[in-house]
């Protein structure tokens, strides 16, 4: 596989997230690969190979536990962040972080906030 280690492609995903709304998706893919020093020709060849693409999808599906029914599926220190119930993602992360709190947690009451809905 081309980039099996997430640290190799995480910056690519972040780049794509930032620019995909301002340019065509195909151009954003290529631009981010180039900016992040990744092999765009290799990525594109993998994407365009129907058999290889299918094999990757099957492997991903097989590796996904049956109870994972949506993305992102976030687990921190063994605790799942439930997108259907919780609304304070930053608080969830700040509560779980055991080191010196980063600036994003400063002045924040880090707690889980439940979403109340009228039914």
């Amino acid at each position: 596989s081309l980039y099996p280690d997430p640290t190799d492609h995480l910056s690519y995903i972040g780049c794509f997230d930032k620019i995909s709304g301002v340019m065509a998706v195909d151009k954003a893919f290529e631009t981010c690969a180039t900016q992040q020093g990744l092999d765009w020709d290799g990525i594109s060849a993998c994407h365009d190979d129907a058999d290889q693409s299918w094999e990757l999808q099957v492997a991903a599906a097989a590796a996904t536990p049956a109870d994972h029914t949506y993305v992102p599926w976030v687990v921190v220190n063994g605790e799942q962040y439930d997108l259907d119930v919780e609304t304070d993602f930053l608080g969830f992360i700040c509560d779980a972080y055991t080191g010196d709190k980063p600036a994003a947690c400063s002045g924040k009451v880090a707690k889980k906030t439940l979403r109340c809905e009228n039914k």
Side-chain angles (χ1 to χ4, degrees), residues 3 15 18-19 26 31 49-50 55 72 76 79 87 90 94-95 99 109 113 119:
Y3 295 108
C15 172
K18 288 179 184 173
I19 71 169
D26 289 346
T31 299
D49 182 321
E55 288 174 19
V76 176
E79 184 179 351
T87 60
L90 182 59
C94 290
D95 281 348
V109 177
T113 305
K119 293 189 178 194

Side-chain angles (χ1 to χ4, degrees), residues 2-76:
L2 194 55
Y3 295 108
D5 184 349
T7 59
D8 291 337
H9 61 267
L10 193 56
S11 60
Y12 173 79
I13 295 168
C15 172
F16 181 77
D17 186 48
K18 288 179 184 173
I19 71 169
S20 63
V22 296
M23 67 175 61
V25 172
D26 289 346
K27 185 64 177 165
F29 282 137
E30 184 175 1
T31 299
C32 287
T34 302
Q35 286 179 0
Q36 303 306 314
L38 301 177
D39 175 12
W40 171 245
D41 291 334
I43 293 169
S44 182
C46 178
H47 173 272
D48 294 342
D49 182 321
D51 291 334
Q52 189 171 4
S53 181
W54 177 249
E55 288 174 19
L56 288 170
Q57 290 178 57
V58 168
T64 302
D67 64 338
H68 289 205
T69 57
Y70 56 85
V71 293
W73 189 270
V74 180
V75 177
V76 176

